[in-house]
Structures are given as structure tokens and as C-alpha cells.
Amino acid sequence: HHAADSVGSDCMNCHMPRLNEGLQDLVRTHRIFSPTEPLMIEENQPNACNMCHVEKNLRWTLGYLGEWYDRTYNEERIRETQPDPDAPATINWLRGDHQPSRMVAGDVLTKAKSRWALEDLVDALNDPALLNRQFLQRGLDGMLKDPVEKTSGYQFHFPRAERAFHL
């Protein structure tokens, strides 16, 4: 019932997801936890289910967590923290206020080559956090045919007015 990645096993993806910032990539957390962690679900933060199933919304995830683990969550809190409950959870992370969650969203969406999310990813190239822009530019370079800098001159470290990127 879990999607595997090319680097780790299903169990590692669910219990030790790639949430920590490394020098040039997101790396596995060394904290082992349950994929049912309420904070992650209720506060619009990355959860292991949607890190693999990047196109699914949180309702889809809640259905499986309820079915498999008999877990329920604070629905009112989820409504408060989700910018768009119909959107994929990854897009809600990308649009959210939590800087590390935006970084994870860009990472998982570009690694999954989620062309359906390209407009949101391009918008995220103006993230207020320089590190998020750097990681996202590198992710888009791996996802798109041509590097972002080559096609547009975009540089993550430029001031906002100078870093416009157009598809």
C-alpha cells in the first residue's frame, strides 16, 4: 500500500521520511515516528503518505489513516491550516507559511516530475526563503528539459525584481 522510491524501502519512507535539510538535498530524518503523527496532519506539514502520493489531497490520506490505523484528527484544525482542502496536500505545503514544509513540497514534487504542479512550482521560485529557492531551482533543473538559468536567466540569489522566471 506504499509507493517506494529508488533509494529506500517502503518502511523507511513511512517512518523516516526525507524531511531534514542536508547540504545539497533533503535527507532522512533520524527521528523514527508513526506516519499517523497528528502534528504533521493537522498543521499542514509534510506527512509520509503524501510525500509519495504527491497528487492526492489530505482527505485521501485521512481516509487511509482511518482505515489502516483507526486514527481520527481534529477536522476543525485541518480546515484552518489547509489553504485549499481540494488541492493536493503537497500544493498546500508549497503555499503554506511553514518554510521547511515549502522546501519539502518543492523537493517531492520535482523528484516526482509533477508537471501538473509546474505553475505552483514556478510561483514558488519567489519563495521568501533563499534556501527554498535554491533547492527548488535545482529540483526544476532535474525535472525540466533545460536548466532554469539557461532558459530564463533566473538565479535564486537575485533580488525579487531580478529573478523572474517564465515558462
Side-chain angles (χ1 to χ4, degrees):
H1 62 275
H2 303 285
D5 69 19
S6 61
V7 180
S9 70
D10 292 345
C11 187
M12 295 287 282
N13 291 336
C14 292
H15 296 279
M16 294 177 72
R18 297 176 193 281
L19 296 170
N20 289 2
E21 172 198 326
L23 290 176
Q24 290 294 318
D25 206 352
L26 290 179
V27 296
R28 289 199 190 282
T29 180
H30 285 92
R31 178 178 168 244
I32 299 173
F33 56 85
S34 170
T36 63
E37 176 68 42
L39 179 66
M40 297 164 90
I41 301 297
E42 294 172 359
E43 298 300 320
N44 192 35
Q45 293 183 9
N47 66 73
C49 299
N50 291 112
M51 288 178 70
C52 287
H53 300 278
V54 298
E55 76 291 351
K56 301 293 187 183
N57 65 29
L58 192 60
R59 277 192 292 270
W60 176 88
T61 304
L62 293 174
Y64 279 103
L65 293 177
E67 181 183 327
W68 293 340
Y69 301 104
D70 196 30
R71 293 299 304 259
T72 59
Y73 297 89
N74 182 333
E75 296 284 341
E76 183 177 332
R77 182 65 188 146
I78 290 170
R79 280 191 299 277
E80 291 171 1
T81 61
Q82 291 280 302
D84 178 357
D86 295 322
T90 50
I91 298 299
N92 281 316
W93 306 337
L94 196 62
R95 295 175 182 168
D97 295 331
H98 189 242
Q99 180 268 326
S101 296
R102 295 192 313 268
M103 182 185 289
V104 169
D107 184 68
V108 298
L109 286 165
T110 56
K111 283 183 178 165
K113 303 209 181 306
S114 304
R115 294 194 70 81
W116 56 266
L118 200 50
E119 186 175 330
D120 286 289
L121 290 166
V122 168
D123 286 347
L125 285 170
N126 275 318
D127 193 285
L130 180 136
L131 196 56
N132 284 20
R133 296 191 308 266
Q134 178 184 8
F135 274 51
L136 183 56
Q137 180 177 354
R138 194 183 66 253
L140 284 168
D141 286 349
M143 178 178 154
L144 301 173
K145 181 178 150 191
D146 292 313
V148 169
E149 181 181 353
K150 179 181 172 188
T151 59
S152 70
Y154 174 91
Q155 301 250 342
F156 68 89
H157 54 82
F158 281 1
R160 184 180 178 100
E162 296 176 30
R163 64 174 186 259
F165 175 79
H166 306 287
L167 291 172

